[in-house]
Amino acid sequence: MARKDRTGNRKTREQRQPLKIPELGYYLLVTDTAATERCYFQGLHRELPKAVQNKLVIKVVETKTRAMIDKCLEMTAYDAQYRMPWIVFDRDEVKDFDKIIMEAEKLGINTGWSNPCFEIWMYSYYGTMPAIIESWLCCGEFEKIFQRKTGQRYSKSDAGLYEKISRTGNEEKALQIAKQKYEQCVREGKTLPSQMCPCTTVYQLVEEIRSKVK
């Protein structure tokens, strides 16, 4: 239904307030976790130079695993050209892991997946991406290194998560390690994300956002 102006008359499409388009992009990140990815990417945005922060939007939305694609499509149905949609999630115990990734990419949705979990990406900030298959073990090992490096206990809902790992770790090195691991899996003939472990494509999203600074 068309909106009305102050005189009570309906506004035409031309009369409506034009959409403000962020100069450096609008990232829509849909994830199936309650806190970790949100804390990480909101923290990344806060650490960007102020001039970039004001020109770049990073919106994190949480939903159920099977609903991630539908949520992306729903939110980009209007003004699709102004949003760069991503789903960000872990293999963990997701049965349709490969299927979700393939379906999303066919629909033009970028995928930032991690195998076995998001912590394997953050692990790379500390110079390694260990061959850990189980998500629970990966989280446990990351907790240990995080506490050694930061002097604090690891919490998935820590609003300062990004600031702490970027300060005590090395993001450039993390990007290199993650890219090398991904390329190694490809060279070994692994074609399905579920076969690529340890591995993550989150580095591609971080690298893209970081390129806006340059």
Side-chain angles (χ1 to χ4, degrees), residues 67-155:
M68 289 188 299
I69 293 175
D70 289 341
K71 178 61 73 172
C72 264
L73 295 176
E74 174 191 332
M75 296 186 72
T76 56
Y78 304 99
D79 312 318
Q81 67 270 35
Y82 308 132
R83 293 192 173 94
M84 292 171 277
W86 286 74
I87 57 172
V88 182
F89 73 122
D90 305 340
R91 175 181 63 82
D92 200 13
E93 297 180 4
V94 178
K95 294 180 180 179
D96 297 326
F97 186 63
D98 296 321
K99 184 178 178 181
I100 292 171
I101 292 169
M102 287 188 285
E103 184 179 343
E105 292 177 347
K106 283 181 181 178
L107 293 169
I109 298 171
N110 301 291
T111 58
W113 53 263
S114 298
N115 189 357
C117 59
F118 191 78
E119 279 74 9
I120 202 68
W121 158 242
M122 295 191 291
Y123 220 123
S124 64
Y125 275 74
Y126 299 122
T128 184
M129 190 178 283
I132 303 175
I133 297 175
E134 298 295 339
S135 179
W136 64 269
L137 182 57
C138 182
C139 289
E141 291 302 308
F142 177 73
E143 286 179 9
K144 295 175 185 177
I145 192 171
F146 179 86
Q147 187 162 1
R148 285 202 308 272
K149 296 290 186 178
T150 66
Q152 299 180 36
R153 297 191 65 177
Y154 172 61
S155 170

Side-chain angles (χ1 to χ4, degrees), residues 22-70:
E23 185 178 328
L24 295 179
Y26 187 131
Y27 285 89
L28 171 64
L29 313 183
V30 178
T31 178
D32 63 348
T33 62
T36 317
E37 282 86 339
R38 172 172 50 81
C39 290
Y40 176 89
F41 282 105
Q42 287 180 345
L44 187 158
H45 187 260
R46 286 195 303 271
E47 293 295 315
L48 295 174
K50 290 295 182 184
V52 176
Q53 286 184 39
N54 297 332
K55 298 176 182 179
L56 176 70
V57 174
I58 299 178
K59 183 177 181 62
V60 183
V61 177
E62 295 148 8
T63 188
K64 294 181 179 179
T65 306
R66 286 303 308 173
M68 289 188 299
I69 293 175
D70 289 341

